[in-house]
Every structure is written in C-alpha cells, then in structure tokens.
Amino acid sequence: MKNIFYLLVVFLVLFSCDSDDDVIIEPFVPFQPTAFTLQIPQYFADKLPAPVIPNDNPFTVEGIALGRKLFYDPILSGDSTQSCASCHNLENALTDNNLQFSIGIDGIEGSRNAMPIFNLAWNIEDKFFWDGRSIGLEGQAEQPVIDPVEMHNTWQNAVVDLKNSTEYQELFNKAFPEQTDIDTEITKELTTKAIAQFERTIISSNSKFDKFVNGEVSLTANELEGMSIFNDERGDCFHCHGVGNNNPLFTDNRFRNNGLDTVFSDIGLEMVTDNPQDKGKFKTPSLRNLIFTAPYMHDGRFATLDEVINHYSEGVVISPTIDSQMLFADQGGTQMTSIEKAQLKAFLLTLTDNEFTTNPAYQAP
Amino acid sequence: MKKIILLLIVSIFIFSCDNDDISQAFNPKLKFTFNWDGEPVNLSDFNDIKYTNENGEQLSITRLRYLISNISLVNSSSDGTLVKDFNLVDLTNQLGLGFTATTLLPITNYNAIKFTVGFNEEDNILEYPDLNIVNWNWNPNLGGGYHIMQYEGLFINSIAEEKPYAMHLGTRKVSAGVYEPNHFEITLNFEENTVLNSDSEIEIQMNIAEWFKNPNTWDLNVLSAPLMPVYEAQVMMHENGSTVFSVKVN
C-alpha cells in the first residue's frame, strides 16, 4: 500500500512538470555586433604587413560607431567642454588647428604639439605619443582624459557621466553586449576600446602621390626631382621616413634625435625608458598631409615647411644621442640648394590628401 | 587470447612509429650574436667610443642590422635544406636575434650552414612588407631592392673630431641605370661529426671589426658617410664581408 502511495506521488509530480512545459519561455539571445572588415587600400595591402588589430578588440560596426561618437563628444572632459576632436580636427588631418600647443579645459597650454591621427593601425611597434609612453591605441586613449592640462577628468567621473546617459548605455550594450539579459557595465576599458576601434579605421591614402603610385596621375618634373632628393643623400629623408613607393606610411614609427637641440628641456623617450641614450628622441612622424599639420616637430617650433627643410639642410646641431642617420650633422645638414629645397617641398606637398580631411566617415556623427 | 596478442602487436607497432617520428626530427634553432674581435657586443655597448678599428680609428656603434636570406643546412645527403627564407637581424631594436625554424629536419650529422648576405638578384626584386615597414628599402636611384646592412656610429677623425660613419651595404650603382648586385654567399662549416637535434642552437657570430680588416684596411677618414652611392666603398664592404661571420653550435 505504501508503495502504491509513493507511485502516485511520483505520477503527480511528473504530470505537474508536463503542464509547466506548456508555458513557453523564450531563451535570451544576446545581441551580435556586426563584424567590420577594414577596407585596406591596394597600395597599402601590397606594401605593408597586416594592420595591428588586438585580438581582444576586433572591429565591429557598433564599436566603431560608439568610438566615433565618443571621439567627438565632450562628455569625457572634466567640465564637458572638450572632446578628442577639440585638439584633433579632421580639417587639419586630426591635429590642433595649427596651434603649437593645445589648450586644455583649464586654459593651460600643453608642451607638445598634437599628433595627427591616420594610418595608426600600421604602427607595428604599437607605441603612441611623441615619447611612446602608451602601448596600443587603447592605452593612448586613456591619457588625455586624465591629463591635468588636457581634459582634466578622472575616469571614475567620466564613466559615471556615461552611465547616466541612456543613449550611451544602449550604444555600449550593442558594441560590447553581455551574454545575459543585463546592461553592459560601462568601463574605462570599453570606452577606450571603442575609441581605438574608430581611430584604427582612419586611413589617409588618396594623395596625389598615391594616385601617382597607382598610375592615375603624373607628377611634375619638380615633384619627381623632389622625390629623388627625398630618396638620396641630397635630402636624405628616406632612412627615417621610408622610400615612399615602398612604405606608404612615410614613417617607421621609431624614435630619433633629429638634431634640434644640444640641451634638452624635453628629454622625450628618455622619460619613458629612463635610459640616457634615449635623451631627446621623439617619434618619427608621417610626412603625409603636412600642409594641414603645421606647426612642426614635437614642440611645434617650426611654423612652416620651409623652416623644417631649412633645419635638415643647415640647422642640425649635434648632441650625444643624435641619430647616426643624420649623416650630415657635422656640417649642419644636407646643404640643399634653394632649388633642391623647392623641389623637395613640391614632392612633400604631393602627400596632401584632401579626400581624407573631408571624409564623411571620419566626421562628427 | 588470440585477439589480445593481435592487439598487443598492433599497439607496439603504433607506439614504435610515433617514437621514431619524434626522435628523428627537430626544428633548427638559430641565434645571432655580435663581437668585436672576440669581445661580445650588445646593445648596452652602443653609443660609446670604445672600439679601435684596424686602421687605428676609435669608434662607437649606434645602429646595426643586417639581412640574410636562403638560410640552409647542409649534410651529406643534401646540399642545403631551407631553414628560413630571410631574417633581418636587428641589434638596435633587439629583433631577429634568434628563431626556431618551422621546418622539421632529420636529426643527423650536418656539415655546414649557408646563407646569402642580403637578397640575391631574384629575391631582391620581390616585395617584403615586413621589411618595407621598417624602412629597409634601398634607394631606387641606386638600384632599389633592399639594404644588406646598416651599420653606423661615430669615429674620431684624423683631426680629433667626432664624425659619423655609415656602412650601408646594398646594390652598387655603376652609372645612371647601371647596377651591380652586392649580395654574397657564406658557408660556415661545423666541426666534424656535428649532430643537430632539438637541443642544438646554431650561433651565427658577426665579428664587427672584420668589416674594417680583410682584405681591405678601411680608413674612415677617407670613406665614412654617405657610402650608399660610392661604388668603391660598396665593393670594399662586399669584399670585407666574407670574413665577418663564424658559427658555433651550442
């Protein structure tokens, strides 16, 4: 009798389970961001290795869109008045409006010239800033937010401001979705990942020189001669900035003392490595879009391209860490004639990419 | 019982095959080192005028990188099995100073390692994105392709001034549009009965001082920089390069 009773209980439990199954519970399906494939210009694909894209921060359409919005939004600054774009204006190839030094939210001037932002996905050493102090674009994006002479904020505050925005919450949910039905936790790491994704998409590859390489246009006689000067000892530019036909970046992203000073008020790379042999070394910048990026050098000391060319021609000074590829340092530079200088300048200006500075994909969303 | 015996035989056969495959093959390991007449040269020795060349000039080293290609191991049954297509040895940036090849080679006696210093003519016209991005290209007006070596520093000249020197090796320009290749082949013999296996490390040594010695005693007061367009300097570097390399198996 006892056994029959147990059997009945078991049956009841089983039947009650069956009736529960009639209630359909929809399983949670996490949002899947849309994968994004970077369109690499053929000239870059032919000449360069694959871009540096971290495994833990792959491109997605939603991530790039979020990064772009963040780049142009003053929400990250201490008083919500400055965005990344305040000092990185697309019309100036993402430099600071021809200013020598950028001015932060407190009206304080920085001490280095704002660097341009393009073709950074090919920075294979992945070191950023003039002194290479940040690893990865994600690491770079952390810095201006908390720099007291730039956005002068804390990441804690910036993240709180983002969390208070329903729009941003939705954008983070889509860019970095959770696997369960909860909001994505907005963090500094995800914020910088999104900005880095956007910055990696920024490519400048449509200058007159690019079109020349692609066989679409011809260079003038002066421009061609300028290219020869660039590539030989008269200008001796190519050791640091590459043979243009082969290195579309016009930099190797390495750090050099290019003979600007004998005494250094800014020790550059040495600040990061603590190695006196790195004193006065700064990142070799790209030579693309020079027409938009004045003034020049890490401290913006040269207002014009002519001044830059004059420096390399007769203004180089020697110090213990001067780069040994400044072959003519002992005579002050390469000693170009005025005609050679003009031809070199003509060539450098063929690296102007007007399509880049007006590209809608890089403008404010 | 019959089945068990059969299973045992099959198992022994399978295990013995596995062991043989592993024990008879290895991935060659290479290491690249530098010395000045036997004294090791490392990055920490850079930027210090502490070396004296054959001609008596005191000098420092500030940059040193070179390229070798078609790196092959030679044994009695093969005149050269390719280990790696090319390797840019960059002491300055501490890159390419060693590698383990992906090629699996038999564990046996090897006689020598051989390689081309630079690229041969056929390879020098190909595209190498990994070299383009580190500015390894040779001036197109001097024949193009890629550098073979960039070795730079400062020396004290005959009137006691510090001057730069730059031993850049690459295609030789004879005249406008006329060029000569400048790569050279090196074969470094191992000691007799050298068996290479997965514990072996082949150390390619460069004696930097040799660039200034044999057969040409180099006078930096005459040839220092720029040397890329100087035909005579390119020939002399090419000739002196034949004695700079040696090998040791660790």
Side-chain angles (χ1 to χ4, degrees):
Chain A
M1 185 60 193
K2 218 175 174 182
N3 283 346
I4 292 170
F5 175 75
Y6 283 138
L7 201 62
L8 270 172
V9 171
V10 169
F11 269 110
L12 279 173
V13 171
L14 281 177
F15 275 103
S16 70
C17 285
D18 273 353
S19 61
D20 275 357
D21 285 347
D22 293 341
V23 179
I24 298 166
I25 300 170
E26 288 287 337
F28 174 72
V29 180
F31 179 79
Q32 282 297 320
T34 315
F36 175 87
T37 304
L38 189 66
Q39 294 303 307
I40 299 173
Q42 193 57 49
Y43 169 35
F44 283 45
D46 291 343
K47 300 290 182 178
L48 297 173
V52 180
I53 299 166
N55 289 333
D56 66 350
N57 194 21
F59 285 124
T60 64
V61 171
E62 293 79 4
I64 295 163
L66 172 59
R68 183 178 170 191
K69 182 171 172 60
L70 287 163
F71 188 89
Y72 281 97
D73 194 334
I75 193 170
L76 294 178
S77 63
D79 62 359
S80 295
T81 60
Q82 283 195 345
S83 67
C84 307
S86 302
C87 302
H88 296 280
N89 180 2
L90 183 59
E91 290 176 11
N92 292 94
L94 294 157
T95 61
D96 195 357
N97 304 291
N98 300 126
L99 289 176
Q100 182 178 14
F101 301 122
S102 301
I103 297 167
I105 65 165
D106 301 322
I108 302 170
E109 205 174 52
S111 58
R112 290 179 182 159
N113 188 246
M115 299 197 80
I117 298 171
F118 53 78
N119 302 342
L120 299 184
W122 284 274
N123 180 354
I124 54 168
E125 294 208 16
D126 225 14
K127 294 175 184 168
F128 292 90
F129 289 115
W130 282 108
D131 57 12
R133 67 183 180 275
S134 285
I135 303 298
L137 276 169
E138 290 79 0
Q140 188 281 331
E142 284 185 24
Q143 296 290 315
V145 173
I146 54 173
D147 192 317
V149 297
E150 295 187 33
M151 292 181 173
H152 199 182
N153 202 358
T154 64
W155 270 105
Q156 197 180 12
N157 287 340
V159 165
V160 167
D161 287 344
L162 292 170
K163 283 180 174 176
N164 287 337
S165 159
T166 50
E167 185 187 7
Y168 270 113
Q169 185 61 66
E170 187 58 28
L171 291 171
F172 274 89
N173 287 348
K174 286 188 170 167
F176 305 104
E178 293 288 346
Q179 295 306 302
T180 55
D181 189 14
I182 57 168
D183 279 338
T184 296
E185 173 80 13
I186 297 176
T187 61
K188 171 184 76 177
E189 286 73 24
L190 293 184
T191 307
T192 55
K193 275 186 174 182
I195 294 171
Q197 281 191 43
F198 169 60
E199 290 180 331
R200 282 195 184 95
T201 66
I202 300 173
I203 297 174
S204 173
S205 63
N206 289 311
S207 67
K208 182 178 182 182
F209 179 75
D210 296 300
K211 290 170 184 167
F212 164 73
V213 171
N214 290 333
E216 297 165 28
V217 299
S218 301
L219 297 187
T220 66
N222 273 337
E223 290 164 347
L224 284 171
E225 189 56 23
M227 183 166 72
S228 289
I229 293 165
F230 184 94
N231 285 333
D232 67 31
E233 273 66 22
R234 287 175 293 169
D236 203 19
C237 312
F238 75 102
H239 277 119
C240 306
H241 293 283
V243 172
N245 295 33
N246 291 299
N247 184 352
L249 304 179
F250 285 88
T251 176
D252 61 0
N253 283 300
R254 289 200 166 134
F255 300 86
R256 294 179 172 88
N257 169 357
N258 60 343
L260 292 169
D261 297 303
T262 52
V263 177
F264 297 92
S265 55
D266 184 345
I267 58 175
L269 183 62
E270 184 188 3
M271 189 93 82
V272 178
T273 62
D274 201 26
N275 180 352
Q277 294 190 358
D278 291 329
K279 192 184 296 296
K281 292 183 181 177
F282 294 92
K283 174 168 281 201
T284 305
S286 173
L287 299 184
R288 286 179 175 271
N289 297 307
L290 292 171
I291 200 166
F292 305 119
T293 63
Y296 308 101
M297 305 293 154
H298 66 278
D299 54 5
R301 69 178 64 190
F302 298 134
T304 66
L305 199 45
D306 297 301
E307 287 178 46
V308 176
I309 293 171
N310 287 339
H311 164 71
Y312 288 111
S313 180
E314 55 263 349
V316 174
V317 292
I318 293 178
S319 60
T321 59
I322 189 165
D323 197 282
S324 48
Q325 291 185 330
M326 301 293 292
L327 291 183
F328 303 91
D330 60 317
Q331 60 186 51
T334 59
Q335 307 294 321
M336 283 176 272
T337 66
S338 56
I339 292 171
E340 286 169 341
K341 287 178 183 177
Q343 290 169 327
L344 177 58
K345 183 179 174 183
F347 170 67
L348 292 173
L349 292 177
T350 68
L351 304 177
T352 303
D353 183 356
N354 290 302
E355 292 173 42
F356 163 60
T357 55
T358 55
N359 189 334
Y362 309 143
Q363 291 170 353
Chain B
M1 187 61 190
K2 224 172 168 181
K3 279 183 182 169
I4 291 170
I5 291 168
L6 190 67
L7 196 67
L8 270 171
I9 291 167
V10 169
S11 301
I12 289 165
F13 180 72
I14 289 169
F15 275 101
S16 69
C17 284
D18 276 350
N19 286 344
D20 280 356
D21 283 346
I22 292 165
S23 65
Q24 289 179 3
F26 77 110
N27 298 99
K29 271 189 289 203
L30 272 77
K31 177 183 176 185
F32 298 86
T33 62
F34 298 81
N35 66 80
W36 187 278
D37 284 337
E39 285 298 310
V41 176
N42 296 301
L43 186 59
S44 57
D45 297 305
F46 275 33
N47 302 310
D48 191 0
I49 299 184
K50 63 180 184 181
Y51 301 106
T52 304
N53 70 8
E54 186 75 358
N55 202 47
E57 288 114 22
Q58 292 175 284
L59 54 87
S60 69
I61 302 163
T62 56
R63 179 177 279 107
L64 181 46
R65 47 184 189 163
Y66 69 94
L67 183 132
I68 61 173
S69 62
N70 293 318
I71 307 160
S72 308
L73 282 169
V74 180
N75 63 19
S76 54
S77 58
S78 163
D79 187 36
T81 306
L82 188 68
V83 169
K84 196 176 182 192
D85 292 338
F86 69 89
N87 189 49
L88 179 62
V89 184
D90 186 344
L91 182 56
T92 318
N93 295 295
Q94 299 285 287
L95 297 168
L97 298 178
F99 64 83
T100 301
T102 51
T103 319
L104 208 55
L105 294 184
I107 293 174
T108 184
N109 276 308
Y110 285 87
N111 307 328
I113 186 165
K114 64 178 191 178
F115 50 83
T116 305
V117 182
F119 284 123
N120 62 31
E121 282 173 276
E122 201 176 60
D123 293 340
N124 204 28
I125 56 171
L126 301 177
E127 202 66 70
Y128 302 93
D130 291 339
L131 299 178
N132 292 341
I133 202 165
V134 295
N135 291 350
W136 194 241
N137 305 89
W138 189 252
N139 181 348
N141 298 336
L142 298 176
Y146 293 86
H147 278 76
I148 298 169
M149 179 176 73
Q150 287 183 342
Y151 161 34
E152 301 159 11
L154 292 174
F155 74 103
I156 310 289
N157 70 6
S158 53
I159 53 171
E161 292 172 334
E162 278 186 20
K163 296 264 289 181
Y165 68 93
M167 314 278 279
H168 285 208
L169 186 61
T171 301
R172 304 193 285 244
K173 180 182 177 182
V174 181
S175 58
V178 181
Y179 311 109
E180 290 175 355
N182 216 10
H183 64 275
F184 51 96
E185 306 297 331
I186 292 288
T187 299
L188 302 171
N189 293 321
F190 299 138
E191 287 178 11
E192 268 186 51
N193 302 318
T194 295
V195 176
L196 296 181
N197 58 36
S198 54
D199 294 329
S200 310
E201 184 181 60
I202 304 162
E203 181 180 338
I204 307 289
Q205 303 164 326
M206 175 190 274
N207 180 359
I208 304 164
E210 282 291 331
W211 287 108
F212 300 101
K213 275 188 188 175
N214 295 310
N216 306 294
T217 302
W218 198 285
D219 185 347
L220 283 172
N221 290 289
V222 179
L223 292 169
S224 56
L227 299 181
M228 290 174 65
V230 183
Y231 181 84
E232 178 198 9
Q234 291 300 319
V235 171
M236 285 169 62
M237 269 188 274
H238 177 103
E239 291 171 348
N240 283 10
S242 62
T243 54
V244 303
F245 295 100
S246 57
V247 69
K248 190 173 126 190
V249 176
N250 301 314

